[in-house]
Amino acid sequence: MAVSHGPRGYLIGNAVALLLALGLALVPLRLETAARRWPWIAGLLLVLAVTAVAGPPLDGVRRWIAIGPLRLHAGMLLGPSLAVLLATASPGLRIAGTLAAIAIACVAPDLAMALAWAGALLPGLLGLRPRLAVASIALAALMVAATAMRPDPLQPVPHVEAVVAGAWRTSHIGGFVLALAGMAPLLLACMRDAPARALAGFWAGLSLAGLIGHWPSPLIGYGAAPILGYGLSLAVWRATQSARAST
């Protein structure tokens, strides 16, 4: 951002969000049992649904949680943690919860989030009955297509959307480095851990949206919500790991 003359406020905002995210990642959470995880799953889905229906609008689009003058993208803030939690649930709950999240993204409308949830769903379908997996993929694809067909009135904002393309125009090396940085969370897919793979799929969908259209570039562009959301999801992931280790 500094090299491409981004606003100083963007630099400060992301730096503060990074420090807060590092703190969030270290928060000890108690998620040992399904009974402790259920309220989180239900609560996060409820917040996402309420935001899509009654959140503060911007050009007719509702995707944000308002905290005073600050607006945080609800899906990027809460979605990663929800993806981790759903990955620890039974196959039926995992599929139903993820499809519900895609439906919420369609209502918003938010194609980037719909792609993120589709990405989170795919790793969890491995090993399931073929008919169930195919039906889940088909339903997810239909809802993503429905989201894509809804008009998105928001205009792209420099240093938020199309960050890699903008950096490439300034410096090919900078654009390449940013592209690699944006793909770093995908390394979680290398772990033999369902929540980690779901988290990798979630970020893969978001990153894909940022590359193919005018949607935010998570982590490498301006925006506190994805940075904070990533830190919170790491805390949730650590808690689920501890729960499995204890059993």
Side-chain angles (χ1 to χ4, degrees):
M1 287 183 198
V3 171
S4 57
H5 307 292
R8 183 174 295 179
Y10 283 13
L11 293 167
I12 296 172
N14 273 18
V16 172
L18 177 59
L19 291 175
L20 292 174
L22 292 173
L24 285 173
L26 299 175
V27 172
L29 298 175
R30 300 291 301 277
L31 299 171
E32 296 90 346
T33 63
R36 288 185 180 272
R37 294 190 288 270
W38 261 94
W40 277 71
I41 293 173
L44 292 176
L45 278 172
L46 179 61
V47 172
L48 292 178
V50 170
T51 300
V53 174
L58 180 62
D59 293 336
V61 175
R62 301 177 187 270
R63 301 173 185 168
W64 298 271
I65 297 172
I67 304 175
L70 182 65
R71 288 192 177 192
L72 296 173
H73 191 288
M76 292 187 185
L77 178 66
L78 305 176
S81 295
L82 179 58
V84 170
L85 291 168
L86 285 172
T88 67
S90 64
L93 176 58
R94 181 169 66 245
I95 292 171
T98 307
L99 292 178
I102 299 177
I104 292 169
C106 183
V107 171
D110 192 339
L111 179 59
M113 287 307 306
L115 288 172
W117 284 115
L121 175 66
L122 292 178
L125 298 179
L126 298 175
L128 296 184
R129 296 194 304 274
R131 289 185 179 180
L132 178 59
V134 170
S136 301
I137 292 172
L139 282 173
L142 284 173
M143 287 192 285
V144 170
T147 308
M149 288 188 291
R150 296 198 61 192
D152 188 339
L154 294 182
Q155 297 301 309
V157 179
H159 308 290
V160 177
E161 285 91 5
V163 170
V164 173
W168 184 265
R169 288 192 294 269
T170 303
S171 166
H172 289 354
I173 295 177
F176 180 71
V177 169
L178 272 182
L180 288 179
M183 291 187 292
L186 307 189
L187 294 174
L188 290 167
C190 299
M191 303 188 68
R192 296 182 179 180
D193 181 273
R197 290 179 175 178
L199 193 55
F202 184 91
W203 289 108
L206 278 183
S207 299
L208 175 63
L211 290 173
I212 65 175
H214 295 303
W215 288 280
S217 301
L219 302 179
I220 60 174
Y222 171 65
I227 300 172
L228 295 173
Y230 193 50
L232 179 60
S233 68
L234 291 180
V236 173
W237 177 42
R238 286 175 53 246
T240 62
Q241 280 189 314
S242 299
R244 291 194 299 277
S246 64
T247 57

